[in-house]
Amino acid sequence: MTRRLPPLYALRAFEAAARHASFTRAAEELAITQSAVSRHIRTLEEHFACRLFERKGRNLQLTEPARMILPGLREGFDSLERACATLRVDDSILCLKAPSTLTMRWLLARLSRFRLQNPDVEVQLTSAWMDVDKVDFNHEPFDCAVLLSSGGFSDEWESVELFAEWLIPVSAASAAADGPWDLARLKQAELLHPTPDRRDWRRWLQAMGLEQDIPLKGGQVFDTLELGIVAATRGYGVSIGDLVMVAEDVEQGRIGLPWPTAVPSGDSYHLVWPKVRSGQDRLRRLRDYLLAEVAAMRLPAVEFKR
């Protein structure tokens, strides 16, 4: 049976205009003129014999028929993008998304070594600030990602846990040179918060049974783990860090551990990628390499409080 469908370019213009609520912004996204978008919408309106948009003042609003068709169109375009992604010609390039602190403190050096050992695989790394780590393989140009998460990923993804996040106080090396701190000294210290909601300090203090002794109010607030660590190493106070992220700097005497007890955050770093995607062999090679790097890590001698 022949399917009588309207032109794909017209459907694409409608979806973009509906998403932006603007013909102008849809035209910019699709690299066509605004009048072209208008013509495509008219083509659809003639095909469906109904209006798709209404103007109320300066606002562009969907009609009821348009609202009915839009979810199915979006799902259809998502399916098309997934299908085309599986046949991408150049699968020698892996596009990887990763959190900014992980990139700077752990991943960047290891990817450099991976490229030397695998000259046939180019890894293009995008470092992104994410308050909650996430990736949308349907709409973002990535083949894989490293995410801090408790798991529970999509059934359409492959995933492997790299390492767990262990929270631990960090300071300038000189501040911890005379040995571990006691509670009195921690009370006097300026707390640096690597998250606006202060969740990392809260988790550590609760696990240590110190939430009633150390107030969370006050102190400098940052939006990344990296900024908190850097501020602490420069002597502005004591922050919470990830044990794996600071391990090399602790070993080389650049960072101190004033209270050498690490507690689990409940999250881990995972490498994830779609099951249906070209370059599966290269993705597995990257997975195996990162797992080998994790197995070879040397962590500082600290107490692990589970």
Side-chain angles (χ1 to χ4, degrees), residues 133-152:
D133 290 8
K134 58 185 177 181
V135 64
D136 184 346
F137 289 118
N138 293 326
H139 297 98
E140 294 182 275
F142 301 115
D143 299 298
C144 53
V146 179
L147 305 177
L148 179 64
S149 170
S150 59

Side-chain angles (χ1 to χ4, degrees), residues 178-197:
D178 55 352
W181 291 8
D182 57 17
L183 181 57
R185 187 168 180 184
L186 185 59
K187 283 183 176 181
Q188 295 173 356
E190 175 85 0
L191 295 191
L192 305 176
H193 300 280
T195 53
D197 61 5

Side-chain angles (χ1 to χ4, degrees), residues 268-284:
S268 297
Y269 286 97
H270 302 260
L271 177 67
V272 300
W273 69 93
K275 292 179 180 178
V276 182
R277 184 64 59 93
S278 61
Q280 292 292 315
D281 176 67
R282 292 175 172 84
L283 286 162
R284 286 190 286 269

Side-chain angles (χ1 to χ4, degrees), residues 191-204:
L191 295 191
L192 305 176
H193 300 280
T195 53
D197 61 5
R198 296 170 164 82
R199 63 179 177 266
D200 290 333
W201 265 116
R202 183 177 293 107
R203 287 171 174 171
W204 189 85

Side-chain angles (χ1 to χ4, degrees), residues 82-300:
R82 287 194 296 270
C84 293
T86 64
L87 297 179
R88 193 178 64 192
V89 175
D90 190 1
D91 65 355
S92 65
I93 300 175
L94 294 180
C95 297
L96 170 64
K97 180 181 184 181
S100 55
T101 300
L102 177 78
T103 295
M104 295 302 299
R105 294 201 166 266
W106 192 82
L107 190 57
L108 198 58
R110 286 161 176 84
L111 286 182
S112 296
R113 295 195 290 269
F114 176 79
R115 293 187 187 99
L116 292 175
Q117 297 178 24
N118 299 269
D120 60 320
V121 182
E122 180 182 350
V123 180
Q124 293 183 351
L125 173 62
T126 297
S127 173
W129 177 87
M130 296 177 279
D131 183 48
V132 177
D133 290 8
K134 58 185 177 181
V135 64
D136 184 346
F137 289 118
N138 293 326
H139 297 98
E140 294 182 275
F142 301 115
D143 299 298
C144 53
V146 179
L147 305 177
L148 179 64
S149 170
S150 59
F153 300 114
S154 168
D155 292 337
E156 298 178 354
W157 295 3
E158 297 281 1
S159 66
V160 61
E161 181 180 357
L162 298 177
F163 55 85
E165 181 182 47
W166 288 87
L167 303 176
I168 193 167
V170 297
S171 67
S174 58
D178 55 352
W181 291 8
D182 57 17
L183 181 57
R185 187 168 180 184
L186 185 59
K187 283 183 176 181
Q188 295 173 356
E190 175 85 0
L191 295 191
L192 305 176
H193 300 280
T195 53
D197 61 5
R198 296 170 164 82
R199 63 179 177 266
D200 290 333
W201 265 116
R202 183 177 293 107
R203 287 171 174 171
W204 189 85
L205 292 171
Q206 287 176 347
M208 297 294 295
L210 299 175
E211 65 270 30
Q212 302 301 321
D213 300 296
I214 308 295
L216 286 176
K217 293 182 179 180
Q220 182 65 49
V221 175
F222 302 96
D223 58 7
T224 68
L225 206 64
E226 173 68 12
L227 290 175
I229 293 171
V230 170
T233 59
R234 293 184 178 179
Y236 293 111
V238 56
S239 186
I240 284 288
D242 182 311
L243 183 63
V244 172
M245 305 293 183
V246 301
E248 293 179 359
D249 287 300
V250 171
E251 182 180 14
Q252 296 174 17
R254 294 191 292 263
I255 290 179
L257 301 178
W259 196 302
T261 301
V263 305
S265 71
D267 294 325
S268 297
Y269 286 97
H270 302 260
L271 177 67
V272 300
W273 69 93
K275 292 179 180 178
V276 182
R277 184 64 59 93
S278 61
Q280 292 292 315
D281 176 67
R282 292 175 172 84
L283 286 162
R284 286 190 286 269
R285 283 160 62 185
L286 177 62
R287 173 202 63 192
D288 293 344
Y289 175 82
L290 293 179
L291 287 174
E293 285 288 313
V294 170
M297 288 189 308
R298 294 189 303 174
L299 297 179

